[in-house]
């Protein structure tokens, strides 16, 4: 699933659409997340509206119009693209916003786990998907003291804690493993055992990992591309994720893989202390 760096990369590469007016809207009529169909009448009512800004909270992209906000979640295989005039419509395209200049914004999703909705501006965070989210590490920053305070109430593993979207919005499986490796913390350690020192290390590691991935345009393991259709390059620069059996980049111990809460987890058994 695309995580914060991937969705932020899409947001940045969608920038050429700001200022464009929507001429018309088409949708496939097929269900997406939880079999819910995109709201056809609300989508078609966007015709004539101008894209004024692009925002993001966690893994959710927010396309601002005059009095509405288009909420987009990429799910597992979703792509939100700017297509040039005359570009053929790809298979698995489910929503198309035709722009007045001939370009179009297209939501393509093979597995249909993504989400599209139309919300009232200034009330978007009342939407259930956004209301449950914690602060965004890029938009709001990460305070180690606040992270420690939340951790003290949790008996989950550190891996589960970092993945908890009510704690930090946008960090997913890849970057949780990467951040815990950078912080030298074992994924199975219980969150309530964090200290001032280790919470500061973890906060700094999360910031570093996300910035590192953004610099490389996100991680493309299979489906992710930015709004222009370009794959991210960060998969070639991952420190621990997907490197089972390879030497740790710090201590040369072989990286191990385990499964926590059904998710693949990668760590160094030597320099990530319990």
């Amino acid at each position: 699933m695309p995580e914060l760096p991937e969705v932020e990369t899409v947001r940045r590469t969608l920038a050429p659409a700001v200022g464009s007016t929507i001429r018309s809207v088409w949708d496939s009529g097929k269900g997406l997340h939880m079999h819910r169909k995109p709201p056809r009448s609300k989508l078609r009512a966007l015709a004539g509206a101008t894209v004024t800004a692009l925002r993001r909270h966690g893994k959710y992209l927010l396309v601002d119009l005059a009095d509405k906000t288009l909420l987009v979640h990429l799910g597992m295989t979703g792509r939100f693209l700017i297509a040039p005039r005359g570009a053929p419509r790809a298979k698995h395209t489910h929503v198309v916003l035709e722009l007045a200049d001939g370009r179009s914004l297209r939501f393509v999703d093979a597995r249909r786990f993504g989400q599209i909705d139309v919300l009232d501006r200034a009330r978007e965070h009342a939407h259930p998907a956004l209301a449950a989210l914690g602060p965004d590490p890029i938009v709001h920053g990460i305070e180690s003291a606040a992270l420690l305070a939340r951790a003290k109430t949790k008996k989950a593993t550190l891996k589960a804690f970092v993945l908890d979207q009510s704690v930090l919005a946008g960090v997913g499986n890849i970057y949780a493993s990467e951040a815990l490796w950078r912080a030298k913390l074992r994924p199975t350690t219980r969150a309530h055992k964090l200290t001032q020192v280790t919470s500061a290390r973890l906060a700094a590691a999360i910031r570093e990992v996300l910035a590192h991935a953004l610099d490389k345009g996100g991680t493309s393991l299979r489906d992710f591309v930015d709004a222009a259709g370009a794959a991210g390059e960060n998969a070639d620069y991952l420190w621990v994720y997907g490197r089972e059996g390879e030497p740790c980049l710090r201590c040369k111990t072989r990286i191990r893989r385990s499964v926590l809460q059904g998710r693949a987890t990668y760590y160094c058994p030597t320099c990530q202390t319990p």
Side-chain angles (χ1 to χ4, degrees):
M1 178 182 291
E3 304 179 28
L4 186 156
E6 289 72 52
V7 182
E8 176 63 13
T9 297
V10 171
R11 188 195 71 81
R12 294 179 182 184
T13 51
L14 279 171
V18 174
S20 299
T21 298
I22 298 171
R23 184 181 65 199
S24 63
V25 181
W26 172 91
D27 74 279
S28 68
K30 295 181 179 179
L32 297 175
H33 176 67
M34 301 294 289
H35 307 292
R36 289 186 57 197
K37 295 180 181 179
R40 176 172 288 177
S41 60
K42 290 183 178 181
L43 282 170
R44 293 186 175 177
L46 299 180
T50 298
V51 178
T52 60
L54 297 163
R55 295 179 291 135
R56 181 193 50 74
H57 191 152
K59 303 173 188 178
Y60 288 88
L61 183 68
L62 302 169
V63 182
D64 286 336
L65 307 162
D67 60 351
K68 299 292 181 182
T69 293
L70 182 70
L71 177 145
V72 180
H73 191 285
L74 299 178
M76 297 291 291
T77 59
R79 298 177 173 186
F80 199 43
L81 307 166
I82 299 180
R85 181 193 296 270
R89 188 174 296 172
K91 187 178 181 181
H92 307 302
T93 299
H94 296 290
V95 175
V96 178
L97 307 177
E98 297 285 356
L99 303 179
D101 61 10
R103 298 176 301 164
S104 58
L105 301 181
R106 302 182 181 185
F107 183 76
V108 182
D109 189 359
R111 297 186 66 185
R112 290 193 283 161
F113 290 139
Q115 185 177 3
I116 295 275
D117 208 345
V118 179
L119 317 177
D120 291 331
R121 277 290 301 275
R123 299 190 66 247
E124 60 268 16
H125 282 90
H127 188 280
L130 300 179
L133 297 180
D136 183 287
I138 300 296
V139 176
H140 306 111
I142 307 172
E143 295 292 337
S144 61
L147 198 63
L148 179 61
R150 289 298 304 271
K152 289 302 183 184
T153 68
K154 304 283 187 178
K155 293 187 178 181
T157 64
L158 277 179
K159 174 77 180 297
F161 175 69
V162 175
L163 286 174
D164 186 341
Q165 299 299 292
S166 71
V167 174
L168 288 173
V171 180
N173 198 47
I174 294 174
Y175 301 114
S177 284
E178 293 283 285
L180 290 168
W181 181 83
R182 290 297 292 177
K184 299 182 180 180
L185 296 171
R186 188 70 62 88
T188 51
T189 298
R190 297 293 164 175
H192 69 273
K193 292 185 177 180
L194 276 180
T195 65
Q196 286 186 338
V197 171
T198 54
S199 66
R201 286 211 319 256
L202 180 56
I206 293 170
R207 286 191 291 266
E208 183 179 4
V209 163
L210 297 179
H212 180 78
L214 278 169
D215 285 343
K216 303 297 182 184
T219 302
S220 294
L221 297 180
R222 188 196 306 180
D223 297 291
F224 170 72
V225 295
D226 66 19
E233 299 178 352
N234 194 54
D236 295 331
Y237 299 91
L238 293 171
W239 291 307
V240 66
Y241 187 88
R243 298 187 63 244
E244 180 185 11
E246 297 179 29
C248 173
L249 297 176
R250 272 194 301 255
C251 72
K252 307 306 179 184
T253 303
R254 291 188 182 276
I255 297 298
R256 291 183 184 175
R257 179 186 184 275
S258 64
V259 177
L260 289 176
Q261 289 84 38
R263 312 293 296 276
T265 301
Y266 298 87
Y267 68 98
C268 173
T270 299
C271 62
Q272 286 179 258
T273 56

